[in-house]
Amino acid sequence: MNRFKASKLRHTEARLPRREAWIGGLRASSVASCGNQVKASCQWVAFSAEPTGVLGIVPLEGKDGGRRTVSQLCCHSDVVTDFDFSPFDQLLLATGSADETVKVWRLPESGQDLPSSAGLTLGPGGGPVDVLQFHPTADGVLASGAGKRVTVWDVGQQQPLAALESHGDQLQSLAWKRDGRLLGTSCKDKKLRIFDPRASPAASQSVPGHENNKDSRLLWMGASDCLISVGFSQMREREVKLWDTRKFSSATFTLTLDTSPGAMIPLFDADTGLLVLGGKGENLLYCFEVVPAQPTLTQVTQCLTEGRTRGLAAVPRLALDVMACEVLRVLQLTDAFLVPVSYIVPRKSVQEFHEDLFPDCAGVLPATDAQAWWAGNSQQVGKVSLHPARRPTQTFRSPVIAPAAPSTQLPDDGPADSDRSEGSGYSSPSGSLASPSSAATSLSASTGPSSGFVSSPSQKSLQSILGPSSRFRHAQGVVLHRDTHITNLRGLSLTTPGESDGFCANHQRVALPLLSAGSQIAVLELSKPGRLPDTAVPTIQNGTAVADLCWDPFDPRRLAVAGEDAKIRLWRVPEGGLQDTLREPEAVLQGHTEKIYSIRFHPVAADLLVSSSYDMTVRIWELGGGQEVLCLQGHTDQIFSLAWSPDGRQLATASKDGRLRLYEPRRSPQPQQEGPGPEGGRGARLVWVCGGDFLLVSGFDSRSERRILLYQAQALPDGPLSVLGLDVAPSTLLPFYDEDTSVVFLTGKGDTRVFLYEVTPEPPYFLECNSFTSSDPHKGFVFLRKTACDVREVEFARALRLGQGALEPVAFRVPRVKKEYFQDDIFPPTRVWWEPSLSAGAWLAGADGQQRRADLRPPDMTPVSQAPKEQPARKFVPAAVYLGEKTDEQKKEELLSAMVARLGNRDDPLPQDSFEGVDEAEWD
């Protein structure tokens, strides 16, 4: 604000509407990205929805106060990271994704149909697309940022015009100057850069920005030479800086806000100079007035919202209610609502147009096209008046995409019809969901790319549009009765590595590392649930800190423990469980030179154990002789995880060097194949799936987002077939794969959620199922063998959950109507992996074995496939029934006759007429 002249915006108020005006029933995405998560044009609002690769689409305004229906547009096969509306064509939407492509869509007019596929696709590029922005003056020019590169596209020609590659690290934001000549970027290397794409691919100016490399954003102040950046200081304080490119060596003004951890989303309106800031995960919106000439940043107002911010978007000025003195409108995306926040300047007269508040703004007609702009044309967009009587009515349709054939019905935004149950999304007349009969109320993460969202009365046609769904999508995780729990657990160790399961169990007992002298391990019998005594229980005295431990699958009494002293100790638990402290191991395996990281028993051959160590070797041990028989080489960094193939022929490893390796140990100590693994170096786990033909790897990306990757086992160099981002959390996802159902369970230590996905060998590869959520974080989650499941309750998996002080069994069940029958479609003959098929010597000699399979059907249950088929219910009542029915007049006459009969005859004497009264003489 000018210190000598009061600002006309100093009394600006932020007004929240009543809940009836909110757009409710949403499921906003929780995936972290560099984008704003929500964008608006003059007609539509797009936001990141919960299913992977899906955007929610909703009209900006409802017609005649009617409801606004939220529809879902399936855009990509992976997470949608950012998207943007064209500033000229209000129906043109560009989307970027972690699948490395940019797609451009033409949305319909209100009441028409969503496109079934993208109008055009740009890419794939060299990595996941992080940010997108259309050019402010030229139609068909789009800038996209992926990794360390910014690409400027000619959308109509589907060709890149320029590639800007001067960045030293991950790109965090980009912004066009309002006149379209320059492009600014912020980067994880803590630098701000200015590019002239038509002059050179190198940055024309570069300066250190914010001292912390956490999420930063950069914005131009309209067509001026000034910029705004938001980020974090070295002390993790959130700060706003003003810059002038004419003296770009340092910021001209710095304002420190607070120490909140949420990344800020800035929205700047160049016509009013208002800057709105909102932190992700917070419910406070700041509003400042920016005066670059002084320079100053003065707070105008604050707005405390009801929900926490997932994303923010500014509504275009041409869509503002100027007669209500609305100078700015912000859309706040929360978990379940889109909340419009209006910034109003109070004026005495609201019946006239205030020219001082609403100067002319940029119109919707582009100044030039892509080729002319690239050739040097810098003509500016013409301005238009916001006065309702002088506002232009013409619209612009970009020629880069021709109108597409519709496929998804979007309900009209007229008055709500109470009998209406169809729809392509979930509607929100007053923040509520549409009818459950709507086929579009949920989409799974398996929805394929470029598939529109449509409602259909036929389940078959719905499946053909949405893609396959898992038969386990309604799976339920249930904690069993407290009588089956083991409680009063004390002194549990929390120092096992992140990739270790933390504890191990078989069908008889469980082993729990304790935080006590001597690195003790408690061994508890599952057949003896209940509260443990307050006194000490018998333990195994391991003598050194436990790095990993596992039970021998073929001998439920033998426990292998890897220690930080580079030794593996084999312990034998007495029959019936521990009665006294066990101090002497059965055997000690020595050979590694540094701390052992993980150990795994062979899945087919008895007495074989594999171990990995910080000495970057993988060693295979023959336990009968207690000696090392094979040593595998080839790793250049820490080995995160290893896994045997189901047939025991191959061994796969994941390493901190970002590589996956596949060994055939009996053939060569060197890997047979190598391929790219997860990007982050924070940890990874892998498991074989789909009969041993594929590898599923859990890890992190460069933004610390947890993700799962699917590889074809014999084509590791080709990279992953599919990548699915889950959430942002510090712990590594520990996978368990049930080969009978092809369901993978994923959770991390310290999590409260267990993800379930059915894995298929064909696209879309991952079919989402219901997840299980616990009330408190678990320290470990271990699954038991198939015979522990209660098939009568359609229980297809059972696990042990280690909580704060208790061990709880968790049953995963599928709801079925005919539970009296054996569900043979869910319970095929299971592999008896707890019985060996050959000895260690035979395997080392080159033999391969195959384990038998067992039928889980109880003798007294009939398979559901053999159940007698029920006669279908009659859909229509025979005509004879209608003919035999009485008419309404007949029914009315019979009803009246019955009522009169109950009342009795009116000529009958009343009961009191027969009573004997008092004689007249007795009154005296």
Side-chain angles (χ1 to χ4, degrees), residues 137-156:
T137 64
D139 177 49
V141 178
L142 177 71
S144 67
K148 302 178 182 179
R149 173 196 289 187
V150 175
T151 304
V152 180
W153 297 91
D154 181 343
V155 177

Side-chain angles (χ1 to χ4, degrees), residues 415-607:
D417 184 359
S418 60
D419 295 329
R420 183 177 182 177
S421 62
E422 76 277 2
S424 63
Y426 37 88
S427 63
S428 54
S430 59
S432 61
L433 293 176
S435 167
S437 64
S438 172
T441 53
S442 74
L443 286 175
S444 71
S446 64
T447 305
S450 301
S451 58
F453 183 79
V454 345
S455 61
S456 170
S458 166
Q459 182 65 26
K460 182 176 179 180
S461 62
L462 178 65
Q463 182 173 347
S464 67
I465 295 165
L466 297 184
S469 60
S470 173
R471 54 185 169 157
F472 301 96
R473 61 189 179 276
H474 301 304
Q476 300 171 352
V478 180
V479 178
L480 299 185
H481 193 272
R482 187 173 177 83
D483 291 345
T484 62
H485 300 185
I486 300 177
T487 60
N488 199 32
L489 300 178
R490 299 182 176 184
L492 298 175
S493 175
L494 303 177
T495 59
T496 54
E499 283 68 34
S500 171
D501 291 344
F503 75 104
C504 63
N506 58 29
H507 66 289
Q508 293 183 356
R509 50 187 61 92
V510 59
L512 302 165
L514 302 179
L515 189 64
S516 57
S519 298
Q520 301 177 41
I521 302 172
V523 178
L524 308 176
E525 299 296 310
L526 295 178
S527 59
K528 301 176 182 178
R531 178 181 173 87
L532 295 180
D534 294 334
T535 57
V537 296
T539 59
I540 294 176
Q541 294 280 352
N542 193 59
T544 186
V546 177
D548 197 14
L549 72 169
C550 63
W551 291 103
D552 188 337
F554 311 127
D555 185 352
R557 294 171 52 200
R558 180 158 63 179
L559 178 67
V561 181
E564 293 188 355
D565 59 355
K567 298 177 183 179
I568 301 173
R569 292 168 174 81
L570 301 178
W571 301 88
R572 181 163 295 277
V573 178
E575 194 71 39
L578 282 182
Q579 303 299 327
D580 299 307
T581 299
L582 205 58
R583 291 183 172 85
E584 291 299 326
E586 182 182 59
V588 178
L589 308 178
Q590 301 185 55
H592 285 292
T593 58
E594 292 188 40
K595 172 185 173 181
I596 297 173
Y597 202 72
S598 57
I599 53 177
R600 294 291 183 272
F601 278 93
H602 195 278
V604 175
D607 295 329

Side-chain angles (χ1 to χ4, degrees), residues 884-904:
E885 288 184 353
K886 300 174 182 177
T887 65
D888 290 342
E889 291 297 328
Q890 290 173 327
K891 292 178 181 179
K892 186 185 298 183
E893 186 66 29
E894 288 185 2
L895 181 60
L896 290 174
S897 299
M899 294 174 63
V900 170
R902 296 191 64 180
L903 290 174

Side-chain angles (χ1 to χ4, degrees), residues 803-859:
Q804 188 67 29
L807 192 67
E808 306 169 347
V810 180
F812 290 89
R813 300 167 179 167
V814 178
R816 286 292 173 95
V817 175
K818 300 180 179 180
K819 293 172 63 176
E820 65 273 16
Y821 295 100
F822 177 71
Q823 310 294 321
D824 51 353
D825 60 326
I826 290 180
F827 300 105
T830 187
R831 182 170 63 91
V832 185
W833 53 262
W834 50 92
E835 294 180 3
S837 63
L838 71 165
S839 64
W843 184 83
L844 291 170
D848 293 313
Q850 189 172 2
Q851 291 158 321
R852 69 179 181 91
R853 291 188 174 269
D855 191 356
L856 297 175
R857 180 173 66 89

Side-chain angles (χ1 to χ4, degrees), residues 207-218:
V207 65
H210 299 270
E211 297 179 350
N212 196 305
N213 64 0
K214 200 173 178 181
D215 193 13
S216 63
R217 303 288 182 93
L218 185 67

